[in-house]
Amino acid sequence: NADYVLYVAASPIAGSTIAFAGYCSFSGGRPVVGKMNFQPKYILWNTSDPKSIEKARRTTMHELSHALGFSSSLFLSSPVSGTRRGKSMTEVQGTKTVAAVRALTGCSTITGAEIEDQGGALTVGSHLEAR
C-alpha cells in the first residue's frame, strides 16, 4: 500500500565511493522501488558541524534523485544532442527542466540542462553537467 518503497543501507563499498543509489522496479513507466547505500566510513556523526551536515544532506538528496529515476535510461524527455561552447553536448529539454534551469541561471535563452559527459561509467549520462 505504498506509491514508492525505498530501501536504505549502510554497508561497505569498494573504492572511494561515498554512496550509490538506483531504481529496482517499475510500474506504470516509473520507478516504484529504489535503493540507496552509504559507505559507513564516510558517515559523519558530528551534528554540531554545519558543513558536515550540509554535505550529508546534499549526498542524500543526490542519491535520492537516482533512486527516484534520475538516470540516462529513464529521462522522460529524450536527451537532445547539439554543440555548445564549441563542443558536443547532450541536454534534457523538458518544459519543467528548461523552466528550472532558466530560473536557476537567470538566463532566459538557455535550452535545457546539460548532461555530464566526463567521468566514470556510472557518472556519464546520469548526472547534470558538473560545470
Side-chain angles (χ1 to χ4, degrees), residues 88-110:
S88 296
M89 62 87 193
T90 303
E91 66 181 9
V92 176
Q93 295 181 339
T95 304
K96 290 182 180 181
T97 302
V98 172
V101 171
R102 286 179 178 176
L104 179 68
T105 62
C107 177
S108 63
T109 59
I110 199 160

Side-chain angles (χ1 to χ4, degrees), residues 42-92:
Y42 294 121
I43 296 175
L44 302 175
W45 298 105
N46 185 352
T47 58
S48 63
D49 177 15
K51 287 184 180 180
S52 68
I53 293 169
E54 184 61 20
K55 182 176 181 179
R57 182 178 297 135
R58 287 177 184 243
T59 299
T60 301
M61 295 306 292
H62 173 96
E63 297 306 335
L64 182 58
S65 72
H66 290 306
L68 290 170
F70 192 92
S71 165
S72 60
S73 63
L74 292 182
F75 288 131
L76 296 177
S77 61
S78 298
V80 176
S81 296
T83 303
R84 186 172 293 149
R85 297 176 312 282
K87 71 170 204 147
S88 296
M89 62 87 193
T90 303
E91 66 181 9
V92 176

